[in-house]
Amino acid sequence: MFKALLLEQAGNATVSSVQELDDSRLPEGEVTVAVEYSSLNYKDGLAITGKGKVIRNFPMVPGIDFAGTVIDSSGPEFSEGDKVILTGWGVGENHWGGMAEKARVKACQLVKMPDGLNSQKAMIVGTAGLTAMLCVMALEQSGVTPEKGEILVTGASGGVGTTSVALLARLGYDVVAVSGRPENSDMLINLGAKLILPRSRFEEPARPLDKQMWAGAVDTVGSKLLAKVLSEMNYGGAVAACGLAGGFDLPTTVMPFILRGVNLQGVDSVMCPTEKRIQAWERLMELLPEDFYNLACQEVSLEEVAEYAEAITVGQVTGRMIVKI
C-alpha cells in the first residue's frame, strides 16, 4: 500500500483526496521510485483545482515532478538505491505523478541526482528551476551577454522567476524584476535583482515599437505583458518565453522581429531531451548559491496540497512550494 493524492471527476468538478492505494494500481513503467519530495507548480494547481484542462484521464495522481530513491528497476539504467529526479514528460498529466509515496515511470524519464544534491533541494529547484536554467541557456545561445544591457524577468515572484533572477545575477547580468507583489521586493533584491518594476508598468497596450530598454528577457506571463516586453527590446535582443500565467494570446506585431531583429525563443521543459536536462542540472548545481535554497521556499504536506493549489492559481504563492511525501 502507498499513500497518494488522488484526483477524481465528479460531474464537471475535479475532486481531490488523500487515499491509501494498493501497489497494483501503479501504472506501467520500468522503474519504481520511493518518492521523498514533489513540488506544487502552476500546472499542478490548474490540475488539482480543475481550472485548466490539464488532465484528460481520471483517476490521476498529480505532481509534474518528484525526487526519491529507486526501489525496483527492470532495466540496466538504474539500480535499487539510486537517487533520481523526474520533471515533465507528461507525468502528473497523463501518467500518475509525484504526489504519492510511490511512482512508477519509464527509465528514460529519469535523471540521476547530481552529486551534492538531495531530494529536498532537487524539488526546491524542480521543474521551475530547470525551466529557468533552460531560459538562461536560450538567452546565452542568442548571444545575449551581460555587457549588452539589462535583462528583464517577468513574473519574478514565482518559481521560474525567482530562480531566473538568481541564475542571471550569478552570471553577472543586471537583472530587472517585474512583479505584481511589492511585498516581495526585498526577497528579489536578495536574490540579485538590481531593480523592481511593478507589473502595472507593463499592462498598458503595447505600441508596435516602444523605446529600446532591454537586452534580453525571461517571460513567464505571456499575453499583453509579453507584447509590451517585445516592443521594448533592444536591437538584436532576445526573449525566452516559457509561461502563460497571463494568457496564451500574444497581441503584438511583426515589427520587433523585422525592424529590430528580436529573437523570441520558446522554452519547453516537458519534452526537453535528456542530454539537455543533464546539462541544465549540472549548471544549476554550479550556479545556485547555497543560500538560494532558504530564500524562496515553503514546505507543505500532502494533506495541505489542495489548499495551496487554489492559492498558486491566483498568484498568491511566492517562490517555490515543495511537498514532503
Side-chain angles (χ1 to χ4, degrees):
M1 302 291 288
F2 66 100
K3 184 168 68 172
L5 179 67
L6 195 68
L7 304 183
E8 298 174 287
Q9 202 165 30
N12 292 323
T14 300
V15 179
S16 64
S17 60
V18 177
Q19 298 185 25
E20 289 282 343
L21 304 176
D22 190 87
D23 284 12
S24 63
R25 296 192 65 180
L26 285 167
E28 293 183 358
E30 296 93 22
V31 185
T32 305
V33 179
V35 180
E36 293 156 11
Y37 278 89
S38 184
S39 73
L40 181 62
N41 298 277
Y42 182 73
K43 186 182 285 187
D44 296 314
L46 294 177
I48 293 165
T49 61
K51 291 184 177 182
K53 294 186 181 299
V54 175
I55 295 172
R56 296 288 188 266
N57 300 306
F58 291 88
M60 178 62 62
V61 173
I64 65 171
D65 53 18
F66 65 77
T69 304
V70 173
I71 55 179
D72 183 68
S73 176
S74 61
E77 299 93 341
F78 297 96
S79 302
E80 182 180 350
D82 285 346
K83 299 290 186 179
V84 291
I85 305 170
L86 181 140
T87 59
W89 298 115
V91 171
E93 301 176 60
N94 52 45
H95 185 97
W96 282 19
M99 293 190 188
E101 291 176 332
K102 293 180 183 179
R104 185 174 290 150
V105 295
K106 296 178 180 178
C108 63
Q109 296 170 333
L110 296 166
V111 296
K112 289 188 176 180
M113 195 173 297
D115 291 339
L117 203 60
N118 59 34
S119 292
Q120 182 188 47
K121 287 183 177 180
M123 284 298 98
I124 292 175
V125 178
T127 292
L130 177 68
T131 304
M133 189 70 251
L134 293 172
C135 286
V136 172
M137 290 163 63
L139 293 181
E140 291 174 333
Q141 290 158 11
S142 293
V144 179
T145 54
E147 61 270 16
K148 290 194 174 179
E150 294 179 324
I151 306 296
L152 200 69
V153 176
T154 70
S157 291
V160 177
T162 52
T163 314
S164 296
V165 170
L167 290 170
L168 289 163
R170 188 79 166 185
L171 286 164
Y173 291 90
D174 288 330
V175 183
V176 177
V178 180
S179 176
R181 304 180 65 188
E183 68 272 19
N184 292 330
S185 294
D186 287 346
M187 177 198 69
L188 292 169
I189 294 296
N190 287 334
L191 285 168
K194 302 291 186 183
L195 179 67
I196 314 298
L197 294 178
R199 184 173 58 208
S200 57
R201 149 78 170 75
F202 295 86
E203 289 181 337
E204 60 188 63
R207 294 188 296 177
L209 291 174
D210 280 302
K211 181 181 177 181
Q212 297 182 50
M213 299 283 290
W214 321 111
V218 173
D219 177 64
T220 70
V221 179
S223 193
K224 60 184 180 181
L225 193 148
L226 175 55
K228 181 67 173 175
V229 171
L230 287 167
S231 75
E232 295 182 352
M233 294 304 299
N234 291 353
Y235 187 91
V239 179
C242 64
L244 44 64
F248 57 78
D249 60 323
L250 183 56
T252 189
T253 72
V254 298
M255 301 286 270
F257 311 111
I258 65 173
L259 295 183
R260 289 184 181 167
V262 172
N263 186 6
L264 177 59
Q265 286 198 262
V267 174
D268 166 59
S269 64
V270 176
M271 304 304 292
C272 176
T274 299
E275 297 77 13
K276 196 170 185 179
R277 291 172 187 264
I278 293 171
Q279 180 188 2
W281 277 107
E282 288 174 350
R283 293 202 63 195
L284 283 161
M285 286 296 297
E286 169 196 341
L287 292 171
L288 286 177
E290 186 63 29
D291 59 4
F292 169 81
Y293 299 101
N294 301 317
L295 276 174
C297 179
Q298 182 177 354
E299 184 172 302
V300 300
S301 69
L302 199 58
E303 288 76 11
E304 295 174 300
V305 167
E307 171 190 349
Y308 286 100
E310 177 65 30
I312 200 170
T313 63
V314 293
Q316 293 178 351
V317 170
T318 298
R320 292 287 288 152
M321 180 162 286
I322 61 173
V323 184
K324 186 176 183 180
I325 307 296

